[in-house]
Amino acid sequence: MSSPLSRFVRMLMLALVLSLAVVRPAAAQDLEQGPTSLRDTETEVLFRNISAPLIKAAQLDPKNVDIVLLNDSDINAFVAGGQVVYVNSGLILQADNANQVQGVIAHELGHVAGGHAIRIGEGAKAATGITIATMILGAIAIAAGAGDAGMGLMMMGQRAALGEFLAFTRAQETSADLAGAKYLSIAGISGKGSLEFFKKIQNQEYRLAIYATDSYDRTHPLSSERIAMLEDIYKKDPAWNNKTDPKLEASFQRVKAKLLGFLDPKAATRKYPETDQSIPAHYARAYAYHLGAYPDKALSETDALLKTDAHDPYFLELKGQILLESGKPADAIVPLREAVERSQNAPLIASMLGHALIATEDTKNFPEAKAILKTAVAKDNENPFAWYQLGVIYAQEGDEPRAALATAERNNLEGNPKLALASAEMALRGIPQGTPDYLRAQDIAMVSKTALKDKKHRGNDSDRN
Protein backbone atom coordinates (compact mmCIF):
# COMPACT_ATOMS: atom_id res chain seq x y z
CA MET A 1 0.00 0.00 0.00
CA SER A 2 1.15 3.54 -0.70
CA SER A 3 1.82 5.97 2.12
CA PRO A 4 -0.61 8.76 3.03
CA LEU A 5 1.97 11.25 1.78
CA SER A 6 2.22 9.67 -1.69
CA ARG A 7 -1.57 9.57 -1.95
CA PHE A 8 -1.63 13.22 -0.96
CA VAL A 9 0.81 14.07 -3.78
CA ARG A 10 -1.25 12.13 -6.32
CA MET A 11 -4.37 14.02 -5.29
CA LEU A 12 -2.59 17.32 -5.77
CA MET A 13 -1.42 16.25 -9.25
CA LEU A 14 -4.98 15.27 -10.10
CA ALA A 15 -6.16 18.69 -8.97
CA LEU A 16 -3.73 20.36 -11.34
CA VAL A 17 -4.79 18.16 -14.26
CA LEU A 18 -8.46 18.88 -13.63
CA SER A 19 -7.79 22.59 -13.30
CA LEU A 20 -6.11 22.65 -16.71
CA ALA A 21 -9.18 21.03 -18.24
CA VAL A 22 -11.21 24.07 -17.22
CA VAL A 23 -8.91 26.69 -18.69
CA ARG A 24 -9.38 26.34 -22.45
CA PRO A 25 -12.71 27.40 -23.98
CA ALA A 26 -14.45 24.82 -26.13
CA ALA A 27 -14.51 27.15 -29.13
CA ALA A 28 -10.74 27.36 -29.19
CA GLN A 29 -10.41 23.60 -28.92
CA ASP A 30 -12.83 23.03 -31.77
CA LEU A 31 -11.05 25.58 -33.96
CA GLU A 32 -7.73 23.82 -33.52
CA GLN A 33 -9.31 20.59 -34.74
CA GLY A 34 -10.05 22.48 -37.87
CA PRO A 35 -13.34 23.43 -39.46
CA THR A 36 -12.00 24.89 -42.69
CA SER A 37 -12.60 28.49 -43.68
CA LEU A 38 -14.67 29.19 -46.78
CA ARG A 39 -13.27 32.08 -48.78
CA ASP A 40 -15.33 33.90 -51.38
CA THR A 41 -14.97 37.53 -52.44
CA GLU A 42 -18.70 38.30 -52.56
CA THR A 43 -19.21 36.77 -49.10
CA GLU A 44 -16.30 38.70 -47.61
CA VAL A 45 -17.64 41.95 -49.10
CA LEU A 46 -21.06 41.17 -47.58
CA PHE A 47 -19.49 40.58 -44.16
CA ARG A 48 -17.62 43.89 -44.39
CA ASN A 49 -20.79 45.77 -45.33
CA ILE A 50 -22.90 44.07 -42.64
CA SER A 51 -20.36 44.63 -39.89
CA ALA A 52 -18.89 48.04 -40.77
CA PRO A 53 -21.43 50.19 -38.84
CA LEU A 54 -21.27 47.81 -35.88
CA ILE A 55 -17.47 47.82 -35.76
CA LYS A 56 -17.58 51.61 -35.79
CA ALA A 57 -20.18 51.62 -33.00
CA ALA A 58 -17.93 49.33 -30.95
CA GLN A 59 -15.07 51.82 -31.46
CA LEU A 60 -12.89 49.12 -33.00
CA ASP A 61 -10.52 49.60 -35.93
CA PRO A 62 -12.10 47.98 -39.02
CA LYS A 63 -8.62 47.17 -40.32
CA ASN A 64 -8.09 44.86 -37.34
CA VAL A 65 -11.46 43.09 -37.28
CA ASP A 66 -12.12 40.10 -39.53
CA ILE A 67 -15.33 38.13 -40.04
CA VAL A 68 -14.42 34.61 -41.16
CA LEU A 69 -16.83 32.03 -42.55
CA LEU A 70 -16.23 28.44 -41.39
CA ASN A 71 -17.49 25.27 -43.06
CA ASP A 72 -19.41 24.00 -40.05
CA SER A 73 -23.08 23.05 -40.00
CA ASP A 74 -23.57 24.05 -36.35
CA ILE A 75 -25.62 27.20 -35.85
CA ASN A 76 -22.88 29.10 -34.10
CA ALA A 77 -20.55 32.08 -34.12
CA PHE A 78 -17.69 32.73 -31.72
CA VAL A 79 -14.54 34.64 -30.90
CA ALA A 80 -11.53 32.49 -30.05
CA GLY A 81 -8.99 35.26 -29.54
CA GLY A 82 -7.88 38.54 -31.03
CA GLN A 83 -10.37 40.43 -33.17
CA VAL A 84 -11.62 37.65 -35.42
CA VAL A 85 -15.30 36.70 -35.43
CA TYR A 86 -15.90 33.18 -36.74
CA VAL A 87 -19.31 32.56 -38.29
CA ASN A 88 -20.36 29.00 -39.13
CA SER A 89 -21.94 28.23 -42.48
CA GLY A 90 -24.81 26.62 -40.59
CA LEU A 91 -25.69 29.97 -39.06
CA ILE A 92 -25.83 31.71 -42.45
CA LEU A 93 -28.01 28.98 -43.91
CA GLN A 94 -30.42 29.15 -40.94
CA ALA A 95 -30.64 32.95 -40.85
CA ASP A 96 -33.67 34.38 -42.66
CA ASN A 97 -32.25 37.81 -43.35
CA ALA A 98 -29.25 40.09 -43.03
CA ASN A 99 -30.62 41.74 -39.88
CA GLN A 100 -30.45 38.43 -38.01
CA VAL A 101 -26.78 38.04 -38.93
CA GLN A 102 -26.14 41.63 -37.81
CA GLY A 103 -27.59 40.76 -34.41
CA VAL A 104 -25.19 37.81 -34.09
CA ILE A 105 -22.17 39.84 -35.20
CA ALA A 106 -23.08 42.65 -32.80
CA HIS A 107 -23.05 40.14 -29.94
CA GLU A 108 -19.68 38.70 -30.99
CA LEU A 109 -18.21 42.19 -31.27
CA GLY A 110 -19.28 42.60 -27.65
CA HIS A 111 -16.95 39.71 -26.83
CA VAL A 112 -14.17 41.31 -28.89
CA ALA A 113 -14.50 44.76 -27.32
CA GLY A 114 -14.74 43.21 -23.86
CA GLY A 115 -11.61 41.12 -24.38
CA HIS A 116 -13.56 38.08 -23.22
CA ALA A 117 -11.43 35.46 -25.01
CA ILE A 118 -8.37 36.83 -23.25
CA ARG A 119 -10.08 37.22 -19.88
CA ILE A 120 -11.40 33.65 -19.85
CA GLY A 121 -8.32 32.86 -17.76
CA GLU A 122 -9.72 34.98 -14.93
CA GLY A 123 -12.71 32.68 -14.59
CA ALA A 124 -10.51 29.63 -14.87
CA LYS A 125 -8.17 30.98 -12.20
CA ALA A 126 -11.00 31.39 -9.70
CA ALA A 127 -12.28 27.89 -10.47
CA THR A 128 -8.77 26.45 -10.20
CA GLY A 129 -8.34 28.02 -6.75
CA ILE A 130 -11.48 26.30 -5.50
CA THR A 131 -10.43 22.99 -7.04
CA ILE A 132 -6.97 22.91 -5.54
CA ALA A 133 -8.16 24.06 -2.10
CA THR A 134 -10.78 21.33 -1.85
CA MET A 135 -8.37 18.75 -3.24
CA ILE A 136 -5.92 19.57 -0.47
CA LEU A 137 -8.61 19.32 2.19
CA GLY A 138 -9.91 16.09 0.72
CA ALA A 139 -6.42 14.57 0.52
CA ILE A 140 -5.76 15.51 4.14
CA ALA A 141 -9.03 13.89 5.19
CA ILE A 142 -8.21 10.70 3.28
CA ALA A 143 -4.71 10.61 4.74
CA ALA A 144 -6.28 10.88 8.19
CA GLY A 145 -8.50 7.89 7.49
CA ALA A 146 -11.74 9.68 6.62
CA GLY A 147 -11.92 8.34 3.05
CA ASP A 148 -15.62 8.99 2.40
CA ALA A 149 -15.45 12.49 3.80
CA GLY A 150 -12.33 13.24 1.77
CA MET A 151 -13.88 12.06 -1.52
CA GLY A 152 -17.00 14.04 -0.73
CA LEU A 153 -14.92 17.17 -0.27
CA MET A 154 -13.23 16.60 -3.62
CA MET A 155 -16.51 16.09 -5.46
CA MET A 156 -18.01 19.18 -3.86
CA GLY A 157 -14.93 21.13 -4.87
CA GLN A 158 -15.16 20.06 -8.50
CA ARG A 159 -18.84 20.97 -8.55
CA ALA A 160 -18.19 24.36 -6.97
CA ALA A 161 -15.29 25.04 -9.36
CA LEU A 162 -17.41 24.20 -12.40
CA GLY A 163 -20.23 26.37 -11.08
CA GLU A 164 -17.82 29.26 -10.57
CA PHE A 165 -16.49 28.97 -14.12
CA LEU A 166 -19.93 28.65 -15.72
CA ALA A 167 -21.16 31.69 -13.80
CA PHE A 168 -18.20 33.60 -15.21
CA THR A 169 -18.98 32.60 -18.81
CA ARG A 170 -22.67 33.42 -18.35
CA ALA A 171 -21.70 36.87 -17.13
CA GLN A 172 -19.57 37.33 -20.24
CA GLU A 173 -22.48 36.29 -22.47
CA THR A 174 -24.84 38.73 -20.76
CA SER A 175 -22.23 41.47 -21.12
CA ALA A 176 -21.89 40.69 -24.84
CA ASP A 177 -25.69 40.73 -25.26
CA LEU A 178 -25.91 44.19 -23.71
CA ALA A 179 -22.92 45.47 -25.68
CA GLY A 180 -24.39 44.10 -28.91
CA ALA A 181 -27.69 45.86 -28.23
CA LYS A 182 -25.76 49.09 -27.67
CA TYR A 183 -23.86 48.75 -30.95
CA LEU A 184 -27.05 48.05 -32.89
CA SER A 185 -28.64 51.13 -31.38
CA ILE A 186 -25.68 53.40 -32.13
CA ALA A 187 -25.56 52.09 -35.72
CA GLY A 188 -29.30 52.68 -36.15
CA ILE A 189 -29.91 48.97 -36.80
CA SER A 190 -33.05 47.28 -35.51
CA GLY A 191 -32.78 44.60 -32.85
CA LYS A 192 -35.66 42.63 -34.40
CA GLY A 193 -33.23 40.30 -36.14
CA SER A 194 -31.39 39.63 -32.90
CA LEU A 195 -34.60 38.61 -31.14
CA GLU A 196 -35.73 36.53 -34.11
CA PHE A 197 -32.49 34.58 -34.07
CA PHE A 198 -32.62 33.97 -30.33
CA LYS A 199 -36.13 32.60 -30.84
CA LYS A 200 -34.78 30.33 -33.57
CA ILE A 201 -32.24 28.97 -31.10
CA GLN A 202 -34.97 28.56 -28.49
CA ASN A 203 -37.12 26.60 -30.94
CA GLN A 204 -34.17 24.38 -31.78
CA GLU A 205 -33.64 23.71 -28.06
CA TYR A 206 -37.28 22.64 -27.79
CA ARG A 207 -36.91 20.33 -30.81
CA LEU A 208 -33.89 18.75 -29.15
CA ALA A 209 -35.90 18.39 -25.91
CA ILE A 210 -33.69 20.82 -24.00
CA TYR A 211 -36.09 22.09 -21.35
CA ALA A 212 -33.74 23.68 -18.82
CA THR A 213 -35.53 25.70 -16.17
CA ASP A 214 -32.44 27.52 -14.93
CA SER A 215 -29.02 28.33 -16.35
CA TYR A 216 -26.88 27.04 -13.47
CA ASP A 217 -25.22 24.23 -15.47
CA ARG A 218 -24.91 26.22 -18.72
CA THR A 219 -22.18 28.34 -20.28
CA HIS A 220 -24.86 30.71 -21.64
CA PRO A 221 -27.98 32.16 -20.03
CA LEU A 222 -31.22 30.48 -21.09
CA SER A 223 -32.56 31.72 -24.42
CA SER A 224 -35.79 32.68 -22.64
CA GLU A 225 -33.79 34.81 -20.17
CA ARG A 226 -31.90 36.54 -22.96
CA ILE A 227 -35.05 37.17 -25.01
CA ALA A 228 -36.86 38.68 -22.02
CA MET A 229 -33.96 41.01 -21.23
CA LEU A 230 -33.27 42.11 -24.82
CA GLU A 231 -36.90 42.46 -25.88
CA ASP A 232 -37.40 45.21 -23.35
CA ILE A 233 -34.24 47.01 -24.53
CA TYR A 234 -34.83 46.67 -28.26
CA LYS A 235 -38.49 47.69 -28.30
CA LYS A 236 -37.66 50.95 -26.53
CA ASP A 237 -34.85 51.74 -28.97
CA PRO A 238 -35.50 54.37 -31.70
CA ALA A 239 -34.02 51.95 -34.26
CA TRP A 240 -36.64 49.25 -33.56
CA ASN A 241 -38.67 49.93 -36.72
CA ASN A 242 -35.71 50.72 -38.99
CA LYS A 243 -35.55 48.64 -42.17
CA THR A 244 -32.51 46.88 -43.61
CA ASP A 245 -31.01 48.46 -46.73
CA PRO A 246 -32.63 46.54 -49.65
CA LYS A 247 -29.26 46.21 -51.41
CA LEU A 248 -27.72 44.66 -48.30
CA GLU A 249 -30.64 42.26 -47.95
CA ALA A 250 -30.41 41.27 -51.63
CA SER A 251 -26.69 40.67 -51.20
CA PHE A 252 -27.33 38.42 -48.20
CA GLN A 253 -29.93 36.35 -50.04
CA ARG A 254 -27.49 35.87 -52.95
CA VAL A 255 -24.67 34.75 -50.65
CA LYS A 256 -26.94 32.42 -48.71
CA ALA A 257 -28.17 30.80 -51.93
CA LYS A 258 -24.73 30.30 -53.44
CA LEU A 259 -23.48 28.89 -50.12
CA LEU A 260 -26.27 26.31 -50.10
CA GLY A 261 -25.55 25.43 -53.73
CA PHE A 262 -21.89 24.95 -52.91
CA LEU A 263 -22.30 22.99 -49.67
CA ASP A 264 -25.41 20.93 -50.40
CA PRO A 265 -26.32 20.78 -54.11
CA LYS A 266 -29.26 18.41 -53.59
CA ALA A 267 -30.80 20.63 -50.92
CA ALA A 268 -30.26 23.65 -53.18
CA THR A 269 -32.19 22.18 -56.09
CA ARG A 270 -35.00 21.18 -53.72
CA LYS A 271 -35.24 24.61 -52.17
CA TYR A 272 -34.85 26.44 -55.49
CA PRO A 273 -36.71 24.44 -58.17
CA GLU A 274 -36.39 25.52 -61.80
CA THR A 275 -39.78 27.22 -61.58
CA ASP A 276 -38.08 29.78 -59.32
CA GLN A 277 -36.50 32.38 -61.61
CA SER A 278 -35.17 34.69 -58.89
CA ILE A 279 -31.52 35.69 -58.74
CA PRO A 280 -30.82 33.62 -55.58
CA ALA A 281 -32.43 30.59 -57.25
CA HIS A 282 -30.30 30.89 -60.40
CA TYR A 283 -27.26 31.34 -58.18
CA ALA A 284 -27.96 28.27 -56.06
CA ARG A 285 -28.71 26.06 -59.06
CA ALA A 286 -25.62 27.27 -60.94
CA TYR A 287 -23.36 26.11 -58.11
CA ALA A 288 -25.35 22.91 -57.57
CA TYR A 289 -25.21 21.93 -61.26
CA HIS A 290 -21.53 22.82 -61.50
CA LEU A 291 -20.63 20.66 -58.52
CA GLY A 292 -22.90 17.93 -59.84
CA ALA A 293 -20.89 17.88 -63.11
CA TYR A 294 -23.60 19.40 -65.29
CA PRO A 295 -21.57 22.24 -66.86
CA ASP A 296 -24.09 23.08 -69.59
CA LYS A 297 -26.91 23.50 -67.08
CA ALA A 298 -24.60 25.47 -64.78
CA LEU A 299 -23.65 27.81 -67.63
CA SER A 300 -27.31 28.23 -68.55
CA GLU A 301 -28.09 29.38 -65.01
CA THR A 302 -25.09 31.72 -65.05
CA ASP A 303 -26.15 33.22 -68.38
CA ALA A 304 -29.58 33.85 -66.84
CA LEU A 305 -27.83 35.77 -64.06
CA LEU A 306 -25.78 37.77 -66.56
CA LYS A 307 -28.98 38.75 -68.40
CA THR A 308 -30.00 40.60 -65.24
CA ASP A 309 -26.60 42.34 -65.02
CA ALA A 310 -24.01 41.66 -67.72
CA HIS A 311 -21.22 43.32 -65.74
CA ASP A 312 -21.77 41.93 -62.24
CA PRO A 313 -18.25 40.85 -61.15
CA TYR A 314 -19.47 37.85 -59.18
CA PHE A 315 -21.66 36.51 -61.99
CA LEU A 316 -18.66 36.90 -64.31
CA GLU A 317 -16.44 35.19 -61.77
CA LEU A 318 -18.85 32.26 -61.59
CA LYS A 319 -18.97 31.90 -65.37
CA GLY A 320 -15.17 31.97 -65.54
CA GLN A 321 -14.94 29.38 -62.75
CA ILE A 322 -17.36 26.99 -64.46
CA LEU A 323 -15.49 27.28 -67.77
CA LEU A 324 -12.09 26.88 -66.13
CA GLU A 325 -13.09 23.87 -64.05
CA SER A 326 -14.85 22.31 -67.04
CA GLY A 327 -11.58 22.21 -68.96
CA LYS A 328 -12.02 25.42 -70.97
CA PRO A 329 -9.43 27.80 -69.46
CA ALA A 330 -9.04 29.89 -72.61
CA ASP A 331 -12.79 30.62 -72.64
CA ALA A 332 -12.63 31.55 -68.95
CA ILE A 333 -10.11 34.36 -69.45
CA VAL A 334 -12.46 37.02 -70.86
CA PRO A 335 -15.14 36.86 -68.12
CA LEU A 336 -12.47 36.57 -65.42
CA ARG A 337 -10.56 39.59 -66.74
CA GLU A 338 -13.70 41.70 -66.50
CA ALA A 339 -14.52 40.24 -63.09
CA VAL A 340 -11.08 41.27 -61.82
CA GLU A 341 -11.47 44.77 -63.21
CA ARG A 342 -14.98 45.32 -61.88
CA SER A 343 -14.14 43.90 -58.45
CA GLN A 344 -11.24 46.37 -58.15
CA ASN A 345 -8.65 43.60 -58.46
CA ALA A 346 -10.11 41.36 -55.76
CA PRO A 347 -7.24 38.96 -54.93
CA LEU A 348 -9.29 35.74 -54.93
CA ILE A 349 -10.77 36.50 -58.35
CA ALA A 350 -7.37 37.61 -59.66
CA SER A 351 -5.90 34.31 -58.49
CA MET A 352 -8.51 32.45 -60.50
CA LEU A 353 -7.61 34.50 -63.58
CA GLY A 354 -3.95 33.68 -63.00
CA HIS A 355 -4.89 30.00 -62.79
CA ALA A 356 -6.83 30.20 -66.07
CA LEU A 357 -3.91 31.87 -67.85
CA ILE A 358 -1.50 29.17 -66.65
CA ALA A 359 -3.96 26.36 -67.45
CA THR A 360 -3.98 27.36 -71.14
CA GLU A 361 -0.36 26.08 -71.20
CA ASP A 362 0.37 28.95 -73.58
CA THR A 363 3.66 30.54 -72.43
CA LYS A 364 2.54 33.85 -73.94
CA ASN A 365 0.00 34.09 -71.11
CA PHE A 366 2.55 33.48 -68.35
CA PRO A 367 3.88 37.05 -67.96
CA GLU A 368 0.31 38.32 -67.44
CA ALA A 369 -0.35 35.50 -64.99
CA LYS A 370 2.81 36.34 -63.06
CA ALA A 371 1.93 40.04 -62.77
CA ILE A 372 -1.64 39.27 -61.69
CA LEU A 373 -0.60 36.71 -59.09
CA LYS A 374 2.12 38.92 -57.61
CA THR A 375 -0.43 41.70 -57.19
CA ALA A 376 -2.92 39.24 -55.68
CA VAL A 377 -0.54 37.92 -52.99
CA ALA A 378 0.62 41.47 -52.24
CA LYS A 379 -2.99 42.42 -51.43
CA ASP A 380 -3.88 39.13 -49.73
CA ASN A 381 -0.97 37.10 -48.40
CA GLU A 382 -3.22 34.34 -47.04
CA ASN A 383 -4.19 32.53 -50.23
CA PRO A 384 -2.19 29.29 -50.52
CA PHE A 385 -3.52 28.50 -53.99
CA ALA A 386 -2.26 31.84 -55.34
CA TRP A 387 1.19 31.03 -53.96
CA TYR A 388 1.01 27.60 -55.59
CA GLN A 389 0.23 29.15 -58.97
CA LEU A 390 3.00 31.72 -58.55
CA GLY A 391 5.40 28.89 -57.75
CA VAL A 392 4.41 27.20 -61.02
CA ILE A 393 5.35 30.39 -62.90
CA TYR A 394 8.72 30.73 -61.15
CA ALA A 395 9.51 27.08 -61.81
CA GLN A 396 8.62 27.48 -65.48
CA GLU A 397 10.98 30.48 -65.64
CA GLY A 398 13.76 28.46 -64.02
CA ASP A 399 13.77 30.64 -60.89
CA GLU A 400 14.00 27.76 -58.44
CA PRO A 401 14.79 29.86 -55.32
CA ARG A 402 11.62 31.94 -55.71
CA ALA A 403 9.64 28.84 -56.61
CA ALA A 404 10.87 27.42 -53.31
CA LEU A 405 9.86 30.64 -51.50
CA ALA A 406 6.36 30.46 -52.99
CA THR A 407 6.14 26.83 -51.85
CA ALA A 408 7.30 27.86 -48.38
CA GLU A 409 4.56 30.52 -48.27
CA ARG A 410 1.95 27.96 -49.27
CA ASN A 411 3.06 25.35 -46.75
CA ASN A 412 3.25 27.98 -44.02
CA LEU A 413 -0.36 28.99 -44.68
CA GLU A 414 -1.49 25.36 -44.80
CA GLY A 415 0.12 24.60 -41.43
CA ASN A 416 2.94 22.34 -42.68
CA PRO A 417 5.97 23.72 -40.79
CA LYS A 418 8.30 20.86 -41.77
CA LEU A 419 7.74 21.40 -45.50
CA ALA A 420 7.71 25.18 -45.07
CA LEU A 421 11.09 25.06 -43.33
CA ALA A 422 12.66 22.84 -46.02
CA SER A 423 11.39 25.13 -48.81
CA ALA A 424 12.44 28.31 -46.97
CA GLU A 425 15.96 26.96 -46.45
CA MET A 426 16.15 26.08 -50.14
CA ALA A 427 15.08 29.61 -51.02
CA LEU A 428 17.70 31.11 -48.70
CA ARG A 429 20.45 29.28 -50.55
CA GLY A 430 19.58 30.96 -53.86
CA ILE A 431 18.07 34.39 -53.10
CA PRO A 432 20.51 37.31 -52.62
CA GLN A 433 21.01 38.19 -48.97
CA GLY A 434 19.33 41.34 -47.65
CA THR A 435 16.61 41.43 -50.32
CA PRO A 436 12.92 41.47 -49.27
CA ASP A 437 12.48 37.91 -50.55
CA TYR A 438 15.50 36.74 -48.53
CA LEU A 439 14.16 38.36 -45.36
CA ARG A 440 10.76 36.80 -45.97
CA ALA A 441 12.32 33.35 -46.36
CA GLN A 442 14.18 33.94 -43.08
CA ASP A 443 10.91 34.83 -41.35
CA ILE A 444 9.19 31.66 -42.59
CA ALA A 445 12.17 29.53 -41.54
CA MET A 446 12.15 31.03 -38.05
CA VAL A 447 8.38 30.63 -37.62
CA SER A 448 8.53 27.05 -38.91
CA LYS A 449 11.37 26.11 -36.53
CA THR A 450 9.39 27.52 -33.61
CA ALA A 451 6.27 25.61 -34.67
CA LEU A 452 8.22 22.37 -34.96
CA LYS A 453 9.76 22.87 -31.50
CA ASP A 454 6.33 23.56 -30.02
CA LYS A 455 4.92 20.48 -31.73
CA LYS A 456 7.78 18.34 -30.40
CA HIS A 457 7.30 19.80 -26.91
CA ARG A 458 3.56 19.03 -26.97
CA GLY A 459 4.34 15.51 -28.15
CA ASN A 460 6.75 14.98 -25.28
CA ASP A 461 4.18 16.28 -22.80
CA SER A 462 1.61 13.89 -24.26
CA ASP A 463 4.03 10.97 -23.93
CA ARG A 464 4.67 11.84 -20.29
CA ASN A 465 0.95 12.03 -19.57
Side-chain angles (χ1 to χ4, degrees), residues 36-39 47 66-70 84-88:
T36 56
S37 62
L38 295 171
R39 297 208 59 195
F47 281 168
D66 288 320
I67 314 294
V68 175
L69 180 65
L70 295 180
V84 182
V85 175
Y86 295 95
V87 179
N88 286 355

Side-chain angles (χ1 to χ4, degrees), residues 349-362:
I349 302 177
S351 298
M352 190 182 296
L353 173 57
H355 180 197
L357 290 163
I358 294 170
T360 63
E361 299 182 355
D362 184 346

Side-chain angles (χ1 to χ4, degrees), residues 284-305:
R285 291 196 299 268
Y287 274 91
Y289 291 147
H290 175 51
L291 291 172
Y294 299 103
D296 292 339
K297 296 181 75 172
L299 285 171
S300 176
E301 296 291 350
T302 306
D303 287 338
L305 290 170

